[in-house]
Amino acid sequence: MTRIGIFMFAVCAMCVIVTASNILVQYPFHFLNLEKVLTYGALVYPFSFFVNDLTNRSLGQKMACRVVYAGFFTGLLVSWWLTTPRFAVASGSAFFLAQLVDISVFTPLRYRIWWKAPLIAAFFGSCLDSILFFFIAFSETFNFIDTGIYQPDHSSQAQVQLFTLSIPVWLSLAISDFFVKIFLSCFMLVPYGVIITWFMPSAYTVTRTRNSR
């Protein structure tokens, strides 16, 4: 596949992932009594870091940023149409900043041991994404996004117990979302390693050469 083909595939994949996660984040995960701490969107969104990192590895930082820009604008428009403006703002801002953080962390680590860059980048990107999205989407601080355009207030005032602490539901969702993303990021190291070994041998060879110095 040519560079332009890889780029177009990455853009399409990113847009699909962002759109799906924007919709599915509205639906709690109704299994194992996890509906108050987990949404289906958390199971889909980590694939965006997977696409981002593979693009960065194969095409470089600039092309990875372009994939993020394309995913941001397309995802914002589609989510604005399919969900509410508040979810669109929350998703768009969280996605954009988290993906740029992922790129900025991944790039200087790309020539170290192959698993370090995607895992460490996913950790920082996921942390920012989870906190920012749920804070904007559900905290009372941002209810003006709903009320300012005469929409129902989607803020959540509910509290849940976390050990001995009472915390907002949105924060519990953010914490659970973060750990799910990290778990899936660890899981996706397997296909990531296979892809860079078998389909990006030149990049993998450079990585091993620099690690041996």
Side-chain angles (χ1 to χ4, degrees):
M1 185 180 293
T2 63
R3 286 177 61 86
I4 188 64
I6 295 174
F7 174 73
M8 294 305 298
F9 181 82
V11 168
C12 292
M14 186 68 81
C15 292
V16 170
I17 292 167
V18 172
T19 302
S21 62
N22 287 342
I23 298 172
L24 295 176
V25 75
Q26 301 176 79
Y27 299 95
F29 187 78
H30 288 291
F31 295 95
L32 304 175
N33 296 321
L34 295 176
E35 61 273 5
K36 290 186 178 181
V37 296
L38 186 63
T39 69
Y40 284 99
L43 304 178
V44 176
Y45 186 81
F47 286 93
S48 63
F49 293 110
F50 180 71
V51 172
N52 189 352
D53 293 343
L54 285 175
T55 304
N56 197 342
R57 173 70 70 179
S58 60
L59 302 179
Q61 181 179 3
K62 290 184 179 180
M63 296 298 280
C65 287
R66 291 175 184 174
V67 170
V68 170
Y69 300 150
F72 168 72
F73 287 112
T74 303
L76 184 63
L77 291 174
V78 174
S79 62
W80 194 285
W81 176 53
L82 294 177
T83 62
T84 67
R86 184 170 180 177
F87 280 117
V89 171
S91 175
S93 57
F95 169 82
F96 186 72
L97 294 176
Q99 294 295 327
L100 292 184
V101 166
D102 182 274
I103 292 173
S104 65
V105 174
F106 183 96
T107 301
L109 297 175
R110 62 183 298 167
Y111 294 117
R112 298 192 180 184
I113 299 175
W114 67 270
W115 55 266
K116 283 188 176 181
L119 189 59
I120 296 175
F123 177 87
F124 287 100
S126 297
C127 183
L128 177 61
D129 182 84
S130 297
I131 293 175
L132 196 58
F133 173 80
F134 286 98
F135 182 55
I136 296 175
F138 297 110
S139 74
E140 293 183 84
T141 304
F142 289 91
N143 62 0
F144 66 88
I145 299 177
D146 293 324
T147 59
I149 55 176
Y150 306 102
Q151 292 285 327
D153 186 357
H154 290 89
S155 301
S156 174
Q157 302 181 28
Q159 301 280 315
V160 295
Q161 289 295 128
L162 181 63
F163 302 110
T164 60
L165 298 176
S166 179
I167 64 173
V169 167
W170 70 263
L171 182 56
S172 70
L173 288 171
I175 294 172
S176 301
D177 183 80
F178 168 73
F179 281 109
V180 169
K181 287 173 181 174
I182 294 302
F183 172 79
L184 290 176
S185 295
C186 292
F187 175 79
M188 284 186 285
L189 286 177
V190 175
Y192 176 86
V194 171
I195 290 173
I196 67 170
T197 302
W198 292 97
F199 298 99
M200 303 177 189
S202 59
Y204 185 58
T205 301
V206 171
T207 302
R208 289 190 299 176
T209 301
R210 296 204 176 193
N211 285 334
S212 63
R213 292 178 181 177

